[in-house]
């Protein structure tokens, strides 16, 4: 696969991808912006690239010109919009300059492979406008590892917190954002996963997720009190749910957020969530790999070196391990997993074939109304954790199909154009429906021309008015007429 080396190109591609998905009318290689009537064209490939604008003749368009054009098209841009894009672009450049040889561990490589970040976000690598010297030492993309800091004192535990008494692990970057002194700890070296603020401690086989008061893609990455409160009840809910799911689909697992510890003086700012490690969940002889890493590519990616039959078999196997557990969590257990590319690990066997799916990150998880007793004991039924079946299904289709399978299929198709990946995927959905009572939502999905896609660009505009999420139609790759 082509190496990712061009921050300008990555930035333009992200903007073009957003425009095609959310704003423009795409036909025959050109994209018409409906409000201004501006005509763009771009090179088609796995994603769009090399934008040009029509001004009597086709003229190349730099990423910053494209950004200005977008803000004119949508009008009245949110404060800081252009700066965010420029900041993301310079962060990518800084990462590319600082990148070192990849680590030996394949799992770590897959977590630390996301140089371009979210491909459908206008400012995927924004780091709050902070200078690289402040964040490069903690960045997965440069294969960082570092010792955690620690605070000593009396702390609050909620849930199961397998940490030494009187010690609060702290992320050195967050400490400096809070203006606090950092001292290194007796805790071992950790390395950052793709989410930046969650780190892996290989000695303890635990993940620690921290607050990080920096805007990264759609959120300031703070552990909010209302999400922290949900950690113990979600752990209690997920244990039996995943025991059942893995009895039906062997190897499926969830990295449970077991509990959290924090300081009463800075409840959210200093919170640390302790999450199951991955080794305890991986079957013998299996290597976990981050789905997003497989999509982006890294040295040792099991997708490399397959012939087209092999790639198609690999994809079918991938969909067979990832999709049924997600559908079962929804239909049998009323749990809506946020199973996007960054929240799923796939275990591959010695031959590189997917044999196991491991899910993580309950923060974005939603619960269907059958959990009303738990929901009303926590947030009340109107809290954001509970969703109607329709809203939950909308979110699940986005996470699973648009922000996951389309990208894995894209990685296969980039290597083997024209193979029938979606025929394979469709068979897996059909088989699940046949074996599990034909849920009407699944039949509707298989005959729907569109699936919902989250509008990360438009969200920057609607957020100003307080809307929480927004979806647009994306052609449904599972659809056959
Ligand atoms: N395709 C993608 N979809 C979602 N997030 C992505 C994608 N590619 C890269 N990312 C990055 O991954 C992170 C996803 O955010 P998410 O809320 O799932 O993680 P988190 O809550 O910070 O940490 P964790 O997943 O460890 O719980 C963000 O930093 C986001 O920019
Ligand atoms: Mg996540």
């Amino acid at each position: 696969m082509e190496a990712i080396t061009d921050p300008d190109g990555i930035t333009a591609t992200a903007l073009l991808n957003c425009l095609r998905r959310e704003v423009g009318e795409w036909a025959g290689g050109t994209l018409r912006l409906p409000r201004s009537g501006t005509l763009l064209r771009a090179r088609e490939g796995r994603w769009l690239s090399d934008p040009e604008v029509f001004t009597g003749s086709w003229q190349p368009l730099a990423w910053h010109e494209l950004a200005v054009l977008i803000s004119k098209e949508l009008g009245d841009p949110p404060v800081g919009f252009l700066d965010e894009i420029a900041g993301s672009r310079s962060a990518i450049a800084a990462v590319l300059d600082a990148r070192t040889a990849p680590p030996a561990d394949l799992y770590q490589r897959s977590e630390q492979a996301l140089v371009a970040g979210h491909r459908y976000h206008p400012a995927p690598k924004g780091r709050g406008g902070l200078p690289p010297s402040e964040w490069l030492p903690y960045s997965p993309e440069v294969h960082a590892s570092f010792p955690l800091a620690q605070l000593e004192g009396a702390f609050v535990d909620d849930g199961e917190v397998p940490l030494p008494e009187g010690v609060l692990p702290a992320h050195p970057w967050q400490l400096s954002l809070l203006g606090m002194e950092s001292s290194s700890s007796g805790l071992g070296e950790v390395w950052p996963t793709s989410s930046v603020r969650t780190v892996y401690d290989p000695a303890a086989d635990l993940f620690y997720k921290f607050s990080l008061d920096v805007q990264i893609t759609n959120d300031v990455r703070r552990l909010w009190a209302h999400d922290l409160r949900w950690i113990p009840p979600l752990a209690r809910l997920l244990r039996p749910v995943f025991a059942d799911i893995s009895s039906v689909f062997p190897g499926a697992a969830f990295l449970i957020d077991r509990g959290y510890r924090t300081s009463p003086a800075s409840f959210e700012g200093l919170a640390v969530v302790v999450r199951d490690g991955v080794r305890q969940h991986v079957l013998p002889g299996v290597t976990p790999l981050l789905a997003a890493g497989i999509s982006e590519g890294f040295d040792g990616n099991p997708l490399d070196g397959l012939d087209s039959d092999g790639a198609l078999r690999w994809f079918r196997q991938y969909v067979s391990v990832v999709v049924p557990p997600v559908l079962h969590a929804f239909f049998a257990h009323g749990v809506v997993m946020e199973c996007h590319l960054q929240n799923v690990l796939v275990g591959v066997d010695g031959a590189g074939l997917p044999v196991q799916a491991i899910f993580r990150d309950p923060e974005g998880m939603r619960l269907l109304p059958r959990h009303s007793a738990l929901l009303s004991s926590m947030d009340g039924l109107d809290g954001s954790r509970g969703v109607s079946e329709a809203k939950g299904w909308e979110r699940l289709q986005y996470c699973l199909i648009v922000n996951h399978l389309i990208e894995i299929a894209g990685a296969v198709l980039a290597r083997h154009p024209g193979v029938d990946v979606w025929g394979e995927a469709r068979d897996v959905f059909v088989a699940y429906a046949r074996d599990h009572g034909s849920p009407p939502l699944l039949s509707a999905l298989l005959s729907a021309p569109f699936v919902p896609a989250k509008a990360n660009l438009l969200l920057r505009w609607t957020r100003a008015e307080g809307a929480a999420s927004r979806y647009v139609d994306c052609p449904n790759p599972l659809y056959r007429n």
Side-chain angles (χ1 to χ4, degrees), residues 189-213:
E189 288 255 318
V190 297
W191 53 260
T193 67
S194 57
S195 90
V196 188
R197 45 98 167 241
T198 302
V199 301
Y200 183 54
D201 177 345
D205 190 31
L206 290 172
F207 292 92
Y208 310 121
K209 178 168 175 170
F210 295 96
S211 273
L212 190 65
D213 292 350

Side-chain angles (χ1 to χ4, degrees), residues 369-378 381:
R370 78 186 75 172
H371 296 287
S372 61
L374 174 61
L375 287 162
S376 55
S377 75
M378 295 291 296
L381 286 176

Side-chain angles (χ1 to χ4, degrees), residues 87-368:
S88 170
R89 188 238 158 246
S90 25
I92 295 167
V95 158
L96 285 167
D97 277 350
R99 242 181 160 218
T100 52
D105 182 65
L106 265 193
Y107 167 54
Q108 184 177 352
R109 256 190 235 178
S110 69
E111 288 271 12
Q112 300 191 329
L114 312 191
V115 172
H118 200 305
R119 295 292 192 163
Y120 288 81
H121 195 284
K125 285 284 157 171
R127 293 291 176 263
L130 298 165
S133 57
E134 284 186 28
W135 48 263
L136 272 177
Y138 314 115
S139 289
E141 307 85 354
V142 300
H143 313 122
S145 69
F146 54 91
L148 288 177
Q150 75 175 37
L151 303 172
E152 279 162 32
F155 302 112
V156 186
D157 283 2
D158 192 9
E160 187 197 320
V161 183
L163 291 170
E165 275 305 303
V167 171
L168 181 66
H171 196 300
W173 184 10
Q174 173 68 356
L175 285 187
S176 79
L177 289 165
L178 294 173
M180 294 173 71
E181 286 287 307
S182 167
S183 64
S184 66
S185 66
L187 306 159
E189 288 255 318
V190 297
W191 53 260
T193 67
S194 57
S195 90
V196 188
R197 45 98 167 241
T198 302
V199 301
Y200 183 54
D201 177 345
D205 190 31
L206 290 172
F207 292 92
Y208 310 121
K209 178 168 175 170
F210 295 96
S211 273
L212 190 65
D213 292 350
V214 175
Q215 169 96 24
I216 296 180
T217 50
N218 293 320
D219 296 301
V220 171
R221 301 287 162 170
R222 179 167 265 233
L223 294 166
W224 306 104
H226 58 86
D227 288 323
L228 288 169
R229 286 176 61 238
W230 268 99
I231 285 176
L234 281 176
R236 283 192 293 274
L237 178 82
L238 286 171
R239 281 199 181 90
V241 163
F242 266 81
D244 175 63
I245 291 176
S246 65
S247 74
V248 189
F249 307 104
F254 200 94
L255 304 180
I256 304 259
D257 284 358
R258 298 184 191 172
Y260 64 94
R261 175 173 291 179
T262 191
S263 157
S266 180
F267 193 86
E268 291 178 340
L270 289 175
V272 54
V273 173
V274 182
R275 175 177 295 174
D276 281 356
V278 68
R279 280 205 302 276
Q280 60 174 294
H281 288 290
V282 164
L283 300 169
V286 167
T287 306
L289 299 172
L290 177 69
I294 294 175
S295 166
E296 285 294 318
F298 59 94
D299 213 2
N301 190 345
L303 264 185
D304 293 332
L306 298 175
D307 63 18
S308 57
D309 285 348
L312 205 53
R313 260 198 310 278
W314 183 95
F315 185 73
R316 184 184 187 104
Q317 188 68 21
Y318 184 97
V319 179
S320 309
V321 303
V322 169
V323 169
V326 170
L327 297 179
H328 214 57
F330 186 93
F331 291 113
H333 297 285
V335 169
V336 187
M337 289 203 285
E338 195 192 22
C339 50
H340 61 55
L341 280 179
Q342 189 272 351
N343 282 342
V344 180
L345 309 178
V346 173
V348 299
D349 67 11
L353 271 182
V355 290
Q356 206 184 351
I358 301 169
F359 302 90
R360 69 178 175 204
D361 195 2
E363 198 177 298
M365 182 173 275
R366 299 288 183 267
L367 301 178
L368 296 188

